[in-house]
Amino acid sequence: MKKLNSLLFLFCVVFANAQIISGTVLSRDENQPIPYVKIGVEKENIGVISDEKGNFSIDLSEANTSGKIRIEVPGYDSYTVGFQDFIKNSTQKIFLKEKVQHIREVKLSPKKLVDKNWGVNTKTKSVMYSVNPQFKKEDFLGETALEFNANKRSKIKNINLNIASYVSDRPVLMRYSIYSEKNGFPDKNILNEEITVKLTEDMIQSGTYTLSVDDRNIWVQGKFFIGIQFLQEFNGKVNISAALFRTGFLRKFYGEWQKVTLAAPAINIDVKVDKTGKNVEEQLEDESLADLIPDLSKYVGEADQSGYGKNQDIGKIVKVKNADLYYEVYGEGEPLVLLHGNSGSIKDFYQQIPVLSKHYKVIALDTRGQGKSTDSSKKDLTYLGFADDLKAVIDHLGLEKIHIAGWSDGGNTALEFVLKYPERVNKLVIIGANIQPDGVDKRLVDHMKTELEVLELENNPQKFNQTRILKIMLKEPNISTGSLHKIHNPVLVIAGENDVIKKDHTELIAREIPNAKLRIYKNATHFVPFEEAQQLNEDMMKFLGK
């Protein structure tokens, strides 16, 4: 029996070792090693990159034995083999067939080509895509991509990558890919040859690494994606700038591409557009939020530097059930409460506080579970609950009546507050508020739904608060138009011409409140306090009586 157990143990060891496969990838025609080839399991997060000499070693002990092994690199035909066939030899040579290049001469007059720049141009250091090999290897070997759409035939000249910080003990090896589109996701790599770069710090100029591909004759039309992948480990970290509320795409090795709606990497391209070319005959609806939500990196950076929302000499706490509510008070005069938007904080009013505090006693409040306010409860967040929190703060400060200026979610809270506590309000300013979830642009709602599905599937306890902050926008507010008739306080209703709140919804709110005035800011988005700070301050003071 002891001998049988020993044989069984030996068999297990041999079987485990058989799952670690080493080999070399070579070109079939030239019998030369092919560097930086992807070897992995289809639709799984298991894979490796071959080294400069085509050598690799892959551990398949946790792989699906019924799956397929995929080997690919630009310039060569992709190769797949069944798992069982692949592991028959623990050491092997893999030969890839070079793609046949069908080169067709293209003659275009220079006068017909127009220079354009497309993509994400932000250089923020506040929102970043971090590449850190020491943190999680499988994520490090993943890939990020950004979608583009060329209505006319266009040639890519440069691919630009905005890098917020670079620390590495050696050149950082990265690969660029260009994918066709299928069902809204990256599909096949359209490049005929490998584009790899050994990035060093001195190659980054003014926060941007520019890769010239003008000589590669890359022409695109319709939807396509540009992806970047880091191929070798290094000691250090590279941070790529990212734009909030833009859609990016991520995948782990050969795993499925995932759409990420909160932020996108700062990849942009210089192109020459053939203005005489025909438009793409059939364009899918553009679901990007770029026309609704601009690059906010400038404002986010300035808000971080302002000191508001983290003023230790000014900041105070009011303790309520399950929460500590953080607030800051500036100036003297009639009390004016500022309420920020979803996932925001006091600092978002960095352009309003210094102006308004010269005329009013400004009370800026971090909403429960946001900014420096905490929330230990496990219940869903509600705007009515936020309104009760506001009452607790003004009661604590001994304030009988207040003005309120609420932006976005803060405006929704302000409406709930005036409906429940009308006697405590003088005048009300609401900026980009809504009374029903369907008052929000469908594109943003769809993005939020996708993000919520991802968070709920991930089921990460550390992201519980993030989940319910997102959920409140999809489920609330639920204020009837009849309720608006009960508001007899003077109200200034504000929105941007290109707001995420539908224009007719904003007009409905202003029309149904008896003493409301409407102000739409031309060319502005949902971020009026950022984009139109001076005009907003003047309009608010005029309305409030200063």
Side-chain angles (χ1 to χ4, degrees), residues 147 149 223 283-288 441-443 446:
E147 181 180 8
N149 193 352
K223 288 192 174 184
Q283 292 290 338
L284 296 175
E285 181 183 355
D286 184 8
E287 296 182 351
S288 169
D441 188 285
K442 183 179 182 298
R443 287 171 290 176
D446 289 344

Side-chain angles (χ1 to χ4, degrees), residues 261-277:
T261 59
L262 287 184
I267 303 171
N268 62 90
I269 57 176
D270 300 315
V271 298
K272 281 190 175 293
V273 180
D274 177 12
K275 298 299 288 185
T276 64

Side-chain angles (χ1 to χ4, degrees), residues 37-106:
V37 180
K38 291 179 67 173
I39 303 101
V41 184
E42 279 194 343
K43 298 183 179 180
E44 290 193 34
N45 182 25
I46 297 173
V48 295
I49 307 290
S50 71
D51 64 15
E52 295 89 341
K53 297 180 180 180
N55 298 319
F56 70 91
S57 181
I58 183 170
D59 184 354
L60 298 173
S61 57
E62 296 184 6
N64 178 3
T65 57
S66 62
K68 290 185 177 181
I69 307 300
R70 183 169 157 193
I71 302 103
E72 68 175 19
V73 67
Y76 293 83
D77 290 337
S78 180
Y79 173 70
T80 58
V81 59
F83 182 92
Q84 298 299 337
D85 289 334
F86 185 76
I87 65 172
K88 285 180 179 177
N89 299 311
S90 60
T91 303
Q92 54 185 282
K93 290 183 178 180
I94 298 171
F95 292 92
L96 297 183
K97 182 181 179 182
E98 192 168 359
K99 283 184 178 178
V100 176
Q101 306 292 329
H102 299 284
I103 300 174
R104 181 167 57 90
E105 184 178 5
V106 178

